[in-house]
Amino acid sequence: MTLLFATGNGGKLREVAALLEDKGVKVLGINDLEDSIEVIEDGDTFVANAKKKARTLFEATGYAVLADDSGLCVDALGGAPGVHSARYAGEAKSDEANMERLLRELSGKEGKERSAYFLCSMVFISKRGIEVDAAGRLDGEIALSRRGDKVFGYDPIFIPEGSRRTLAEYSLEEKNKISHRKRALSAILPLILPHLN
Ligand code: IMP
């Protein structure tokens, strides 16, 4: 059984492969495909984007497909940056510029006014075309300034609930245990297992 995971990110691919390969599933990433397939993520929600990715890849390849979409939502900003997380400060997709914009927009806000969460939606389509989805969430708050050097996205300014450290001060193993992606994966796993043959 082969599953195509809609990512070109090696770290995400390894995380999913580790969970599925002991169940006899071979996990491929989009870089394993001969042709590159572009999907424009223009949905209003994470689940809409993940569905679009999953359906496009399923139709193009016929493989069973898993796709995700994720981002950061800040309560005081009405859920922004949300689906625009990667390009919050412009097309350049700069983590530094995105964090700077967010910190500027939250200046003067304290405590609960800085509450935020990461959300990840996952969508699976079986070889026979059966579709299921699930989500995972990590609650926390936006730090007053950036801390930590493992820079991915907004990690240096996100403090998980109950912690004093930013996610950029967590080891990768520690982060992978609590992340929104891990939670979405754990939620979708029992839903996809019956459809993996
Ligand atoms: P994607 O779903 O991996 O494309 O993520 C979209 C954007 O959300 C990324 O470019 C990051 O800015 C942000 N993001 C998603 N997950 C994380 C995370 O675990 N840490 C920090 N930023 C994240």
Side-chain angles (χ1 to χ4, degrees), residues 32-70:
D32 296 313
L33 298 176
E34 274 180 22
D35 300 319
S36 68
I37 299 167
E38 211 205 334
V39 184
I40 296 173
E41 296 178 26
D42 55 0
D44 290 338
T45 60
F46 297 115
V47 69
N49 282 333
K51 275 186 183 166
K52 188 174 177 190
K53 265 191 266 187
R55 287 174 188 168
T56 307
L57 286 168
F58 174 69
E59 278 156 25
T61 68
Y63 284 126
V65 175
L66 183 65
D68 76 337
D69 192 40
S70 61

Side-chain angles (χ1 to χ4, degrees), residues 99 118 138 141-151 154-161 163-171 174-175 178:
M99 285 190 283
F118 278 113
L138 176 64
E141 65 178 51
I142 303 301
L144 292 169
S145 60
R146 8 170 339 159
R147 285 199 321 263
D149 50 13
K150 283 185 221 60
V151 180
Y154 297 89
D155 280 354
I157 58 168
F158 185 86
I159 303 173
E161 207 167 53
S163 177
R164 290 169 164 230
R165 287 176 297 159
T166 69
L167 273 181
E169 295 172 309
Y170 279 55
S171 70
E174 255 183 316
K175 179 185 166 186
I178 60 161

Side-chain angles (χ1 to χ4, degrees), residues 9 12 41 53 68-72 82 85-87 93 95 98 118-119 152-155 167 175 179-181:
N9 176 317
K12 283 195 198 175
E41 296 178 26
K53 265 191 266 187
D68 76 337
D69 192 40
S70 61
L72 177 67
S85 290
R87 295 178 172 79
K93 278 179 136 185
D95 290 337
N98 289 341
F118 278 113
L119 193 72
F152 166 56
Y154 297 89
D155 280 354
L167 273 181
K175 179 185 166 186
S179 77
H180 44 305
R181 234 175 323 277

